[in-house]
Amino acid sequence: LVRVLRLVKLFRFMPELLVIIRGIGVAMRAISLVFALLGIIIYVAAIIFRVLLEDTAFGTQHFKSVPQAMGTLLLDCALSGTKGGPLMRRAWDEHPIYALLTFCFALLANVTMMGILGGLLVQTIKKVAEVEEEEKAIIRNFATMNDFWQHIKESDENNDGFICLPEFFKLMSEKKTARLLKRMDVDPEALVFLSDFVFGSKDGTLSQEEFYRWVRDLRGTQKGTLKDHMVTRMLIIGQVNKLLQTVTNMNCTPDRLPDMSSRPGLSVC
């Protein structure tokens, strides 16, 4: 038992083994369904071969009963590395049609079903590995964000726990900021480009949580979701409503547009 427990230490040095085991656990239900479908196919094929090969030497040897037929199809076709080749040759000696039926069963049970099972395991393990990597990246980003916020607090001139736009621009001019953003896979140019809009929507200041959320959403590996599109739509509608409210307050309607053609550099509302 102690020797078996020592094998657990392998997971520390080879985390890929743990990913494979977790992938198999996640895909266990789907794997069970594939095996159940394979069992049904073997059972139906065993009945067919039992009836067709009755009173033949080949049938008496390999398909004398339904359980024996299921064992033959399972061991010599479904799980065989030869994919039923020797069994097809013996069936050919009996009759070509029997060899064709054996070939069809091997194609369905061995090639197709086992291929589905292998592809299912590969995709599940790939997905689990991606989730594991994303979780590790989130942990790393949180640690980096904590270092980043400590760096921000050093640049906080009024020590209010918030960051304003001038402090942000001063922060972005430092090399340490660029290194921290690069570690989080965030483009500094995108932060600067969106800073006016983000700070303007938050009354000119951002708290620690708001700044965290903004930086996380600008990661290069961050995927867009329907929620992001809905938030963007709400922001656009809010800005349009503010603009309409401003136009209404200025009494700037389509029927009474001010004449600004004589003032260069200005456009109509």
Side-chain angles (χ1 to χ4, degrees):
L1 181 59
V2 175
R3 293 180 180 179
V4 174
L5 293 177
R6 289 177 182 175
L7 296 176
V8 179
K9 295 182 179 180
L10 291 176
F11 295 124
R12 297 181 180 179
F13 303 100
M14 291 185 292
E16 293 82 5
L17 292 177
L18 185 60
V19 172
I20 294 174
I21 293 174
R22 290 186 62 183
I24 294 174
V26 172
M28 187 58 65
R29 182 175 183 275
I31 293 174
S32 301
L33 293 177
V34 172
F35 282 144
L37 180 58
L38 180 62
I40 294 173
I41 293 174
I42 292 175
Y43 178 71
V44 173
I47 295 176
I48 294 174
F49 279 100
R50 169 68 182 85
V51 174
L52 292 178
L53 297 175
E54 190 175 7
D55 298 331
T56 62
F58 179 64
T60 303
Q61 182 180 1
H62 298 284
F63 302 96
K64 188 174 182 180
S65 62
V66 173
Q68 183 184 7
M70 292 180 65
T72 300
L73 295 175
L74 177 64
L75 298 177
D76 294 343
C77 286
L79 300 180
S80 175
T82 59
K83 296 179 175 58
L87 192 65
M88 293 180 200
R89 293 187 180 92
R90 290 195 293 269
W92 179 270
D93 295 336
E94 189 69 33
H95 196 281
I97 192 64
Y98 299 150
L100 179 61
L101 291 175
T102 307
F103 170 77
C104 292
F105 174 80
L107 186 65
L108 178 61
N110 189 296
V111 179
T112 304
M113 297 304 298
M114 292 304 169
I116 292 174
L117 184 61
L120 178 65
L121 286 173
V122 169
Q123 290 298 322
T124 305
I125 293 174
K126 178 182 177 182
K127 181 64 67 175
V128 171
E130 291 176 353
V131 172
E132 290 273 348
E133 186 64 29
E134 182 67 18
E135 291 177 353
K136 293 179 181 179
I138 291 174
I139 295 174
R140 290 195 302 266
N141 286 336
F142 270 115
T144 306
M145 284 296 296
N146 290 330
D147 296 338
F148 195 21
W149 187 253
Q150 292 298 325
H151 181 52
I152 293 173
K153 290 174 65 177
E154 295 175 359
S155 303
D156 190 2
E157 298 176 354
N158 51 10
N159 295 322
D160 59 350
F162 291 84
I163 180 173
C164 60
L165 193 58
E167 294 173 347
F168 173 76
F169 285 139
K170 180 181 177 181
L171 184 70
M172 295 302 296
S173 63
E174 300 179 6
K175 293 183 178 180
K176 183 178 179 181
T177 303
R179 290 196 302 267
L180 291 173
L181 291 175
K182 186 177 181 181
R183 284 168 55 186
M184 293 183 291
D185 194 23
V186 177
D187 186 9
E189 294 182 0
L191 284 177
V192 175
F193 179 76
L194 296 174
S195 58
D196 291 335
F197 172 75
V198 174
F199 280 92
S201 63
K202 299 295 183 179
D203 297 328
T205 59
L206 291 178
S207 64
Q208 181 178 0
E209 181 61 30
E210 292 170 343
F211 190 77
Y212 276 11
R213 190 181 306 111
W214 179 34
V215 173
R216 287 199 305 265
D217 290 341
L218 289 180
R219 287 181 301 157
T221 55
Q222 182 73 11
K223 297 181 180 179
T225 60
L226 180 60
K227 178 183 176 181
D228 298 327
H229 293 292
M230 295 299 294
V231 171
T232 304
R233 180 180 177 183
M234 292 173 61
L235 289 175
I236 294 175
I237 293 174
Q239 294 298 319
V240 172
N241 290 335
K242 288 182 180 179
L243 179 61
L244 292 176
Q245 185 66 32
T246 304
V247 171
T248 303
N249 294 336
M250 295 174 58
N251 200 18
C252 181
T253 61
D255 297 333
R256 295 189 304 167
L257 290 175
D259 186 10
M260 296 184 179
S261 58
S262 61
R263 302 177 63 181
L266 295 179
S267 59
V268 180
C269 296

